[in-house]
Amino acid sequence: MAFAAPPVQSATSSPASGKTRYTDYPMAMAVTTTIFFMWGFLTVLNDILIPHLKTVFELNYARAMLVQFTFFGAYFLMSLPAGRLVAALGYKKGIVAGLAIAAVGAFGFWPAAQLHSYAAFLAALFVLATGITVLQVAANAYVALLGPERTSSSRLTLAQAMNSLGTTLGPWFGGLLILAAVSTAVPDGVRKAPETVQLVQTINDAPPAQAVDAIRQAKPEQLVAALNDAAASALDRLPSNDIGASIAHLPQEQLPQALDKLSGAPLLATLSALSPQQLAALPSAALATALDKLASSRLDASDAAQLASVRANLPQDTAQQLAGYRQKQAELVQKPYLGLGCALLILAVVVWLFRLPPLTESTEQADTSHHTLMDALRHSHVFFGVLAIFFYVGAEVSIGSFLVNYLSLPEIGHMSEQQAAKYVSLYWGGAMVGRLAGSALLVWLNPRKLLAAFAGAAALLLLTTMLTHGDVAMVSVIAIGLFNSIMFPTIFALGIERMGPMTGKASSLLIMAIVGGALLPLAQGLLADHMGIQHAFILPLLCYGYIVFYGLRGSIVRDPVAAATH
């Protein structure tokens, strides 16, 4: 049984009135937007997978970003095959094929976890991303064509709002089921006690010798509380070996809390000072988290050798328990992705049963001249649009990929990864709110000027988070999501504007440009390994600068193609 989606027979108003119908196929529009929700949900789970796999496999930032490199690299490698597949099958069957391929990739997470192989996870992720690539090629162009060009940006932005609903729920879902909470809260009574407040002030401001003496003489619960509130830079200025020796004398029950509050050289010195018996008594989660933080630290050759010595000297039973813990952590992804694979298959069946309008006049089947991809790329607004998608997706994915680790930094949010995952939901939730509002604004406002304004606002917020700390840095980086909202759908709609039967080729080129989400996070990971996460945000800042140019100048259509009638 198929469900019909008849067009709305509403006349277009005169150009002078500035009004026009919104869509010809409201039911088809409603069905297609559910696809946007699913791929948004799947894509944003990468932001949870990155810190999770980073801990499971003890990766540095650059290696952890191979998750995004693999996922978005599939867009570049598979966009042209996806375009040919959609051209051969049509929009509806292309969407069904994309959903089925994505389901196979989701099912692949089960054997990857059993094998405890990072390469197997990346392979499953590549298959999943291939399915989403097919969906992107088919669904973005399809929604843009479900009505007049005048409202295509608004229509695509509205569909992308459902995508943002998926990206908002994804981090909450992933944080709950995938990320483990290993940090422990310090009671407020201990944190606010006068002795603790005085100890924090001494660590932050006193000469190193005086600060070290205060640490040695502090009560265990006050020392743990002070480590939670003291500035990370203050600890870095103190002799690491003295800090490590002091913390190594804490009672065994307080050692995990102390390790959770340390990072870098003080953490390495503490692990080196612990006896084999103390290491054996540590919970596997605390030891794994500590080793992961050190794997991400900028260590010189001497520190790297010291870390290798700590690993080599772990008691055999402790090393086995640690390996078992990491295996169980890897298996946490199995059930969530198995459920997602089933949901994708069900959605594929629903779309198959629904009778969607073919819109063949704007596919390659209507391209009697047989234009090439280069023919489409010669149109300046397509060429600059490809670059705009590259830089936008790279910036958005880079920020989202680093949010959990960034907000966990002592000088930024000082929270656990599971707590940080909730703030990632706010980042993507801002995009959803912005897209709902932007969909209405784009009906009446010039999309080019609005795009430039939003990109400029995102750049200012990113500059703010780079120059500040604490709550200001947190709020500013999360608020960028609000202004990311209209960028992708607006750039995409402007990039295929007035391309007629070459719309499919322009769409494939724009989807290929999503490879920015593979390359730029990897580049930012390399920067973060050498200069820290906060300073590495200079890369997405430059990306937003280019998008301002695209909105003001690069998106202007100078050589339109004869539009197909639909």
Side-chain angles (χ1 to χ4, degrees), residues 472-495:
V472 175
M474 280 182 58
V475 171
S476 56
V477 74
I478 292 168
I480 293 172
L482 178 66
F483 294 96
N484 278 340
S485 56
I486 70 162
M487 292 190 199
F488 182 90
T490 303
I491 294 170
F492 192 93
L494 294 175

Side-chain angles (χ1 to χ4, degrees), residues 133-447:
T133 302
V134 177
L135 293 176
Q136 289 265 23
V137 171
N140 277 301
Y142 190 65
V143 169
L145 294 168
L146 284 173
E149 284 185 347
R150 172 69 181 82
T151 54
S152 62
S153 292
S154 173
R155 207 163 42 249
L156 194 50
T157 300
L158 180 61
Q160 288 283 349
M162 286 297 293
N163 178 277
S164 294
L165 178 61
T167 59
T168 302
L169 296 178
W172 178 86
F173 174 88
L176 185 65
L177 296 181
I178 297 176
L179 289 182
V182 296
S183 67
T184 53
V186 178
D188 283 342
V190 177
R191 290 183 66 182
K192 296 178 181 178
E195 298 87 350
T196 305
V197 174
Q198 180 60 48
L199 180 58
V200 171
Q201 292 176 350
T202 302
I203 294 173
N204 286 342
D205 303 323
Q210 183 180 343
V212 169
D213 286 339
I215 289 174
R216 287 172 177 166
Q217 298 170 16
K219 295 179 179 179
E221 65 273 11
Q222 291 171 352
L223 177 55
V224 171
L227 292 174
N228 184 80
D229 292 339
S233 57
L235 289 173
D236 289 339
R237 70 187 178 87
L238 303 180
S240 298
N241 290 334
D242 290 339
I243 296 176
S246 299
I247 294 175
H249 287 93
L250 286 174
Q252 190 67 43
E253 62 270 17
Q254 263 135 3
L255 269 175
Q257 299 179 58
L259 292 177
D260 185 50
K261 311 306 177 188
L262 295 174
S263 60
L267 176 58
L268 178 58
T270 301
L271 288 180
S272 300
L274 295 178
S275 67
Q277 293 76 20
Q278 287 175 302
L279 288 171
L282 282 175
S284 296
L287 182 57
T289 301
L291 292 174
D292 173 57
K293 284 194 286 187
L294 289 172
S296 303
S297 300
R298 289 171 284 165
L299 303 177
D300 57 24
S302 175
D303 288 342
Q306 188 177 356
L307 177 58
S309 176
V310 169
R311 294 180 189 277
N313 292 330
L314 287 176
Q316 184 176 0
D317 289 346
T318 303
Q320 290 176 348
Q321 291 172 3
L322 185 61
Y325 169 80
R326 295 193 187 283
Q327 177 63 40
K328 290 180 180 178
Q329 289 298 104
E331 292 172 0
L332 286 176
V333 304
Q334 288 180 315
K335 290 182 180 178
Y337 276 89
L338 180 63
L340 288 170
C342 293
L344 287 165
L345 288 181
I346 292 171
L347 188 54
V349 172
V350 171
V351 174
W352 178 265
L353 294 176
F354 204 97
R355 187 180 300 131
L356 299 178
L359 302 182
T360 54
E361 66 277 3
S362 291
T363 66
E364 291 186 29
Q365 298 172 21
D367 187 8
T368 56
S369 299
H370 302 292
H371 292 95
T372 65
L373 288 171
M374 288 305 300
D375 291 331
L377 198 60
R378 289 190 184 98
H379 293 262
S380 61
H381 69 291
V382 177
F383 174 77
F384 289 128
V386 167
L387 292 178
I389 290 288
F390 179 91
F391 290 125
Y392 163 69
V393 176
E396 181 189 49
V397 173
S398 293
I399 295 170
S401 299
F402 279 94
L403 265 186
V404 170
N405 293 117
Y406 181 59
L407 297 179
S408 301
L409 293 176
E411 64 271 24
I412 304 299
H414 205 91
M415 62 183 70
S416 70
E417 291 182 346
Q418 191 179 53
Q419 290 172 314
K422 298 177 182 177
Y423 288 93
V424 177
S425 290
L426 292 179
Y427 171 75
W428 295 106
M432 180 181 66
V433 173
R435 281 171 175 169
L436 290 172
S439 177
L441 291 174
L442 285 165
V443 175
W444 306 103
L445 299 181
N446 186 311

